[in-house]
Amino acid sequence: QVQLVESGGGLVQPGGSLRLSCAASGSIFSISDMGWYRQAPGKQRELVAGISSGGSTNYADSVKGRFTISRDNAKNTVYLQMNSLKPEDTAVYYCNAWITIATMVSQNYWGQGTQVTVSS
């Protein structure tokens, strides 16, 4: 059984910063791509940032230059550093990962989501 557990969400003022973390646990053999998605009320879930096992990254245009994704492979953890936050960044943020478990089966996993609210 594999779990992705997110932390670090909360309420922050415009211009502020937050750091999200997502730790994978369970019978993990390897993790390839990891990423962060978000879903605002009434909108579709969208990719915010992704990172490969080798460290290659990609970002949504709306967060380029403000958000940074990173990972610690030894800890099976992915991070999202969010700076210069705007009200339009308000959403539930979800962690996502492609994980190969001990039986060599690869599946896509989602975290439970963490709320980020940017408001004065």
Side-chain angles (χ1 to χ4, degrees):
Q1 186 124 4
V2 171
Q3 280 190 317
L4 297 179
V5 179
E6 299 130 337
S7 61
L11 173 65
V12 64
Q13 291 187 341
S17 297
L18 282 175
R19 189 192 194 208
L20 305 183
S21 299
C22 172
S25 63
S27 301
I28 297 170
F29 177 76
S30 66
I31 304 176
S32 56
D33 294 343
M34 304 184 82
W36 289 95
Y37 289 72
R38 68 186 180 187
Q39 187 166 19
K43 295 189 176 181
Q44 288 188 332
R45 190 173 297 189
E46 62 175 358
L47 175 67
V48 176
I51 185 167
S52 70
S53 57
S56 297
T57 59
N58 62 285
Y59 297 92
D61 287 343
S62 59
V63 307
K64 283 180 181 176
R66 300 188 298 121
F67 291 10
T68 302
I69 189 170
S70 61
R71 63 191 286 171
D72 184 333
N73 291 331
K75 296 182 178 179
N76 290 334
T77 299
V78 63
Y79 306 96
L80 186 67
Q81 178 66 43
M82 304 184 293
N83 298 329
S84 302
L85 282 161
K86 304 175 181 180
E88 50 264 43
D89 295 317
T90 296
V92 178
Y93 283 70
Y94 297 91
C95 174
N96 179 270
W98 280 97
I99 298 175
T100 300
I101 61 176
T103 58
M104 298 303 152
V105 174
S106 296
Q107 289 184 324
N108 190 246
Y109 293 87
W110 290 93
Q112 80 284 359
T114 185
Q115 177 70 46
V116 171
T117 302
V118 184
S119 175
S120 55

